[in-house]
Structures are given as C-alpha cells and as structure tokens.
Amino acid sequence: MKNRFLVSMVSAMFIVGLMASCDLFDKADDISFSTEFDESITVNDAPKGSYSDQITLDATTDPEVAKYKEKIQNIELNEVTYKVSNYVGPVDATFTGDILFGVNGNLGSVSISAVGLSAASTSGDEMDLDLSQDEVNAVAAQLKNDKSVLVTMAGEFSDGPVSFVVTVKAKAKITADAL
C-alpha cells in the first residue's frame, strides 16, 4: 500500500515537473537580438507654410527580422529617433509640427517645436522622439503584428523653399522562435 502511494506521488511529481519543463523547452529555442531599422522622408523645395508627408517604417528591412518575421514573439521598442541631413535652404528656417505614428496618429504622436533645420542638419545629431510608455507599447504591438508602422511628418516651415532628408530610426529588441 505504501509503495502504491509512493509510486503515485512520484508519478504525480514527475508529471508536474514535465509540464513545467515544457515551458522551459519552448523558451530554450527562442532567439533575441537587437536591431535598428529606419526610413527617410525626402523634402524637396517645400515652400514656407504647411507640409505633410508619410513613410512606412518597416522592421523587415533588417535581414534578421525578415528571417524570423513569421516567428516573432515580441518586439521591445527601446528608442525612436529622427535626424535631419542634407539641408539646403534659408539658414534660419524652422519646422514646427508633429511626428505621428499609425493612421492619423492613433498609436502616438510627438510635437516638434521650432527645430532649426540648418543647425539640426549641421550637427548630425539623432534627436529622441519622446513617446509615452503607452504609445511605445502601441507602436511595438503594431510592429510585432504587421512588421511595419505608418509615420507621418506634418507641420509648418517658417521659411522656404527648403530641401532636406529626415530619417526616422527605431531601435528594438526582437524575440523570436528560432525553430
């Protein structure tokens, strides 16, 4: 009787351990890697006043993301930046407006106030787009599901004509099932 009870207990513990280890085995073949992907908006001879253009920020432009695109389990968005380059135009021209993520900014937006285009281009600095944590999560979820997100630049130039390139870059950690 004791042996039967002992065998039952050991069997039950074995089954519980086996079930718990399934999660460990499932995660054992996961791969995680950091990546950056970007897309650029080219502004050509835009006059003073209103301006709007959009791009699709596509995670699969990174070959590793493309390789695992059907097996992505999580995208953790660490940083989103923009950089102005190749500026040609009046030295004191500025841009004031928004960078919107998703259709009509439904995933989030960041206001940009009077960025000096010439100075930003000369510095070459990447500037953070400070999304709230909820917005970061929404953009990351969109990237996980569709592997891309719509980005719109909308606002006004203080002077013109202006020509430049603005590059939006996402830095992320990807977790995917390797098998």
Side-chain angles (χ1 to χ4, degrees):
M1 187 73 159
K2 279 186 175 182
N3 285 341
R4 217 183 258 174
F5 177 73
L6 186 58
V7 169
S8 295
M9 286 299 289
V10 170
S11 296
M13 290 174 68
F14 178 74
I15 291 171
V16 168
L18 187 60
M19 290 173 62
S21 69
C22 286
D23 283 341
L24 293 175
F25 287 123
D26 186 41
K27 292 180 183 191
D29 67 341
D30 288 355
I31 183 170
S32 291
F33 57 94
S34 294
T35 185
E36 296 179 359
F37 45 93
D38 59 43
E39 189 62 47
S40 297
I41 296 172
T42 301
V43 178
N44 284 317
D45 293 324
K48 174 181 178 177
S50 295
Y51 178 84
S52 181
D53 200 359
Q54 58 188 22
I55 55 170
T56 300
L57 189 59
D58 185 351
T60 62
T61 58
D62 177 293
E64 282 297 297
V65 175
K67 179 178 173 182
Y68 294 106
K69 72 180 182 180
E70 300 302 324
K71 298 177 180 184
I72 291 178
Q73 296 173 341
N74 188 43
I75 293 183
E76 181 182 323
L77 198 55
N78 297 321
E79 185 178 25
V80 181
T81 64
Y82 75 96
K83 177 180 165 181
V84 177
S85 60
N86 303 329
Y87 177 75
V88 176
V91 72
D92 59 346
T94 62
F95 174 78
T96 299
D98 298 297
I99 303 289
L100 304 120
F101 294 86
V103 177
N104 296 319
N106 66 326
L107 301 176
S109 65
V110 176
S111 293
I112 297 174
S113 180
V115 170
L117 298 171
S118 180
S121 179
T122 301
S123 76
D125 292 339
E126 287 184 15
M127 294 165 268
D128 287 332
L129 289 170
D130 294 322
L131 296 161
S132 73
Q133 190 59 52
D134 287 342
E135 292 170 327
V136 167
N137 294 342
V139 171
Q142 175 77 30
L143 286 167
K144 178 184 176 236
N145 294 333
D146 294 346
K147 312 310 176 265
S148 65
V149 64
L150 183 67
V151 179
T152 304
M153 175 182 154
E156 290 195 13
F157 296 118
S158 66
D159 201 352
V162 295
S163 296
F164 61 96
V165 175
V166 62
T167 303
V168 178
K169 181 188 287 184
K171 299 175 184 177
K173 179 181 177 187
I174 310 292
T175 303
D177 187 1
L179 298 179

